[in-house]
Amino acid sequence: MTTRPSRQGARPVRQATGAMIAPAPERTGKEGPRKPMELPASITVKDLAGRLGVTPVQVIKQLMRNGIMANVNQELPYEVAAVVARDFNFEMKDIPKKLTAVAGSKKSARFREEPSKDQVIRPPVVTIMGHVDHGKTSLLDAIRHTNVIATEAGGITQHIGAYQVESDGKRITFLDTPGHEAFTAMRARGANVTDIAIIVVAADDGVMPQTVEAIDHARAAGVPVIVAINKIDKPGANPEKIKKQLGELGLVLEEWGGEVITVNVSAKKNLGIPELLENILVLAEVSELKASPNKPAAGTVVEAEMDKNQGPLATVLIQSGTLHVGDVVVVGTTGGKVKAMLNDKGKRVRKAEPAAPVIVLGLDTVPQAGDILEAVAGEKEARAILEKRGLQKQREAAAPKKAASLDQLYSQIREGQVKDLNIILKTDVQGSIEPIRLSLEKLSTDQVKVKTIHSGTGTITESDVLLAIASRAIIIGFNSKPEPGAKKMAELEGVDIRNYSVIYNLVEDVEKAMKGMLEPVYEEVVDGRATVKSVFPSGKKTRAAGCQVNEGKLVRAVLARVVRAGKVIHQSTIASLRRFKEDVKEVATGFECGVGVDGFNDFVPGDVIEAYHKERTS
Ligand code: GDP
């Protein structure tokens, strides 16, 4: 059941709408006398909430209890606002005792927002995240099996990457790949499909590192969260402990006057699922999710595969417009004509509206998850777009990525490109996080705000790198190194990972970067190695080495060092390079040559001459 202290002890009742909504509290007299209040002839939900000192979510829920669906900017007439205010213990003059005049399913339609010509309310798209084993998959299954859309009875959802259920006559779309990695991977590819994140926390276990990660990933995306406190059937379940832990993470729960809704559920025993769905719908109302179905379709691929018989199959979540069989589409760098579409029950459909997941048949090749689908006017236009995209892709592959980096920060701040310096902070021990976070956030100026969007202990993971890509963040490791996979991904995507072991240096670097004073970091790259075989005079006082190039090449005038028994004994440049007494510019692997190193005359056979150059890494 939803946790609302204002209604603690109240038993849930089934309303005319069919939703499980707990009734408003009986007046016991303990609340104190009603506070006097005046209201205008009409007032928006948001303003009313402000006057009542409660959240818009609380007002919307109270309206729902009266059978009225409203969103946050909706104007409420005096008589409706007054009844809600009364429920919150305010006293008005001349108010109706009951909302009979407007309540009830038929009449409540009056208060639904009249959809504008183009935009209509669309179902919310929900992702489930949380720590491993806390019940994400079980919850997705429980929702899928308890709420199969009645009109499509008999159809048990198939796994196609997303499915829809119905609650209170309204649809909700769930993405069927749980976890914040999948969520952020989509974002890193530029696809933002999720409207609401459900964070699952097992009531017998509590907030764990991946719970915190999931919350941070949702926050970084600006996606509102609902916490599903799962496994409440277990004897050791302690929802109150979980709420306390959530509070410690800075989540202000609804029952404390905040925006974060918690719902107690058991995926195993099917408890609390209707309440969870109801709260998703409330949050969706507040978020005012709209889309126009009367446009050419646009959507995002959530899953794709090659089917032996049917060819490329792509599950697409439609986000705006309507996709029809026969439409010509471009999807990432592929395209085609929609031959057929299947919904999440495996049923053939001729059209798909906003927030509907459908399998699209008829694409030329298999697209990638995260690719955007767009319906276009015809095949000619599709070809032109795809050609352009192909070229663009080649260009992007050749050009360095424009990820966030400390080194470029100053110019980006000056160009007004950066307003927030997003930081992901990984440390070896928990105790280092807070002092570093505070020191970094103190560096914020009027132009740029330093924000730690995620922090944690342990190594730098691929999930951290994905978050950095999706949120244009810099990763700072304090005594924490990246895992090999994460390092590779960061290099490929141009994500800046900085390692420090002294807090002062870390904070100083960020401060310098913000002021454009950061010294670039160079890395030495070896171009070639040659082994000294003999030594001979090359001038009056100088000696050269007769060498064989074993690796790469030696180039005149580049940086060089002489290595003896693994130790560098001299560093300067290659002063002369000769083959058969002739000056040459470079000598490649396998060839012999005479090498003079600036300021060095003490070669002995066996020494190694390394030619190298410095490359800027930041
Ligand atoms: P995931 O890793 O987050 O997807 O977690 P799963 O859905 O795979 O669940 C992990 C384990 O917890 C499984 O053994 C489930 O049967 C069990 N589990 C999930 N939900 C509940 C619940 O509400 N109550 C109980 N008792 N067990 C649950």
Side-chain angles (χ1 to χ4, degrees):
M1 186 186 142
T2 317
T3 44
R4 296 181 192 98
S6 55
R7 282 180 280 119
Q8 258 169 12
R11 283 169 58 86
V13 291
R14 195 168 279 276
Q15 299 280 94
T17 54
M20 291 284 282
I21 301 176
E26 294 287 319
R27 273 185 62 81
T28 59
K30 285 184 191 153
E31 303 92 337
R34 290 188 189 276
K35 287 163 263 178
M37 187 184 205
E38 281 183 18
L39 282 171
S42 92
I43 184 167
T44 65
V45 168
K46 198 155 96 196
D47 292 344
L48 178 62
R51 289 207 189 186
L52 298 174
V54 298
T55 65
V57 173
Q58 285 170 294
V59 171
I60 289 171
K61 282 189 174 178
Q62 201 54 41
L63 285 163
M64 277 176 90
R65 284 177 206 119
N66 285 295
I68 295 168
M69 302 303 295
N71 61 50
V72 71
N73 290 319
Q74 191 160 335
E75 290 278 342
L76 301 173
Y78 171 82
E79 63 269 29
V80 175
V83 170
V84 173
R86 199 183 158 85
D87 290 339
F88 286 101
N89 206 28
F90 284 85
E91 188 69 270
M92 235 85 33
K93 286 178 204 149
D94 312 325
I95 61 157
K97 283 272 179 304
K98 269 181 147 188
L99 258 188
T100 42
V102 288
S105 53
K106 250 189 184 166
K107 283 181 180 157
S108 67
R110 220 173 88 193
F111 294 95
R112 280 193 200 119
E113 193 189 63
E114 272 306 305
S116 72
K117 236 184 176 177
D118 272 310
Q119 295 230 308
V120 294
I121 301 285
R122 64 165 173 84
V125 179
V126 182
T127 299
I128 296 193
M129 313 187 197
H131 196 74
V132 66
D133 278 347
H134 277 197
K136 299 181 287 295
T137 316
S138 308
L139 189 58
L140 275 165
D141 285 345
I143 294 166
R144 187 182 354 233
H145 288 110
T146 48
N147 283 71
V148 172
I149 295 173
T151 51
E152 291 167 285
I156 280 289
T157 51
Q158 301 186 323
H159 178 91
I160 67 162
Y163 66 83
Q164 273 193 332
V165 297
E166 205 172 89
S167 166
D168 192 18
K170 295 198 175 63
R171 293 183 178 209
I172 304 171
T173 304
F174 283 88
L175 291 177
D176 211 358
T177 317
H180 57 275
E181 291 88 354
F183 167 81
T184 300
M186 290 280 260
R187 283 186 61 223
R189 301 213 58 223
N192 292 318
V193 293
T194 303
D195 303 307
I196 294 169
I198 305 292
I199 309 284
V200 179
V201 188
D204 61 334
D205 197 14
V207 167
M208 298 298 278
Q210 283 174 41
T211 319
V212 181
E213 261 189 40
I215 292 170
D216 284 349
H217 281 226
R219 271 179 178 161
V223 169
V225 302
I226 293 178
V227 181
I229 301 179
N230 190 30
K231 307 198 186 184
I232 49 152
D233 59 291
K234 282 196 149 183
N238 187 351
E240 290 311 310
K241 186 185 104 189
I242 312 287
K243 288 180 199 168
K244 206 166 147 255
Q245 292 175 334
L246 294 170
E248 284 159 12
L249 290 177
L251 296 191
V252 189
L253 306 190
E254 190 200 10
E255 59 199 76
W256 308 329
E259 301 272 323
V260 179
I261 297 166
T262 64
V263 187
N264 291 352
V265 298
S266 164
K268 196 168 181 175
K269 297 265 157 77
N270 263 327
L271 300 172
I273 309 289
E275 285 77 6
L276 179 62
L277 300 183
E278 175 209 317
N279 279 290
I280 292 170
L281 289 172
V282 169
L283 201 51
E285 286 280 346
V286 179
S287 309
E288 287 193 275
L289 308 168
K290 285 183 179 173
S292 165
N294 308 317
K295 293 197 307 190
T300 299
V301 175
V302 291
E303 235 176 65
E305 59 169 347
M306 178 58 98
D307 182 87
K308 274 203 301 288
N309 305 317
Q310 305 182 86
L313 299 182
T315 299
V316 179
L317 183 77
I318 305 300
Q319 288 168 289
S320 71
T322 302
L323 186 65
H324 302 90
V325 170
D327 282 353
V328 176
V329 294
V330 290
V331 189
T333 51
T334 187
K337 193 169 187 165
V338 180
K339 211 164 68 184
M341 288 193 287
L342 300 172
N343 70 6
D344 53 342
K345 317 289 177 311
K347 202 175 131 197
R348 273 178 179 259
V349 288
R350 295 206 57 80
K351 58 176 194 170
E353 291 184 335
V358 274
I359 299 184
V360 172
L361 282 78
L363 299 180
D364 296 335
T365 55
V366 180
Q368 286 184 14
D371 277 349
I372 308 294
L373 169 142
E374 283 166 276
V376 295
E379 274 162 33
K380 206 167 138 203
E381 193 189 339
R383 264 195 306 277
I385 293 174
L386 288 177
E387 205 166 291
K388 210 164 130 197
R389 284 193 185 166
L391 285 177
Q392 216 167 348
K393 213 174 171 190
Q394 280 171 16
R395 237 178 276 136
E396 276 168 15
K401 290 249 166 46
K402 258 207 144 181
S405 98
L406 266 196
D407 191 42
Q408 289 154 16
L409 181 66
Y410 184 62
S411 58
Q412 287 172 342
I413 294 172
R414 282 211 320 195
E415 286 163 23
Q417 281 183 25
V418 175
K419 298 258 179 325
D420 292 327
L421 171 57
N422 289 338
I423 288 176
I424 294 168
L425 176 65
K426 291 307 274 281
T427 65
D428 52 345
V429 290
Q430 186 71 28
S432 311
I433 293 178
E434 215 40 29
I436 298 177
R437 196 179 63 78
L438 288 175
S439 313
L440 286 175
E441 289 178 1
K442 255 193 231 149
L443 298 176
S444 296
T445 63
D446 289 344
Q447 285 87 39
V448 59
K449 201 165 165 230
V450 184
K451 272 203 213 157
T452 313
I453 59 167
H454 174 60
S455 58
T457 55
T459 50
I460 295 160
T461 62
E462 285 185 22
S463 151
D464 295 326
V465 178
L466 279 174
L467 182 60
I469 302 166
S471 307
R472 291 199 80 204
I474 289 157
I475 302 178
I476 294 183
F478 183 73
N479 293 324
S480 157
K481 291 264 186 276
E483 286 172 2
K487 189 164 185 226
K488 215 162 152 197
M489 188 192 276
E491 278 166 11
L492 269 170
E493 300 288 341
V495 170
D496 197 358
I497 299 185
R498 301 252 166 178
N499 299 299
Y500 296 92
S501 50
V502 178
I503 295 186
Y504 175 77
N505 294 347
L506 184 165
V507 178
E508 191 186 44
D509 264 14
V510 176
E511 188 172 13
K512 279 185 177 167
M514 290 174 68
K515 292 180 178 158
M517 283 161 37
L518 190 68
E519 293 290 328
V521 177
Y522 290 98
E523 190 178 51
E524 289 176 0
V525 180
V526 173
D527 300 309
R529 285 194 178 88
T531 311
V532 176
K533 298 206 153 166
S534 58
V535 186
F536 53 86
S538 67
K540 268 190 190 154
K541 285 183 187 164
T542 51
R543 290 164 80 79
C547 300
Q548 162 124 31
V549 180
N550 315 104
E551 250 182 82
K553 60 183 182 184
L554 296 197
V555 181
R556 191 151 39 106
V558 301
L559 296 169
R561 57 188 159 224
V562 182
V563 183
R564 184 172 296 163
K567 275 197 181 147
V568 176
I569 55 167
H570 181 78
Q571 289 201 66
S572 58
T573 52
I574 294 188
S576 64
L577 195 59
R578 287 183 171 186
R579 267 181 64 70
F580 306 114
K581 303 211 180 234
E582 260 188 45
D583 283 330
V584 287
K585 265 195 174 155
E586 56 178 63
V587 180
T589 309
F591 292 100
E592 293 195 337
C593 54
V595 184
V597 172
D598 199 24
F600 189 75
N601 292 306
D602 304 323
F603 294 107
V604 296
D607 285 350
V608 173
I609 299 173
E610 269 182 6
Y612 67 97
H613 69 274
K614 287 187 176 177
E615 246 174 43
R616 199 169 158 162
T617 57
S618 70

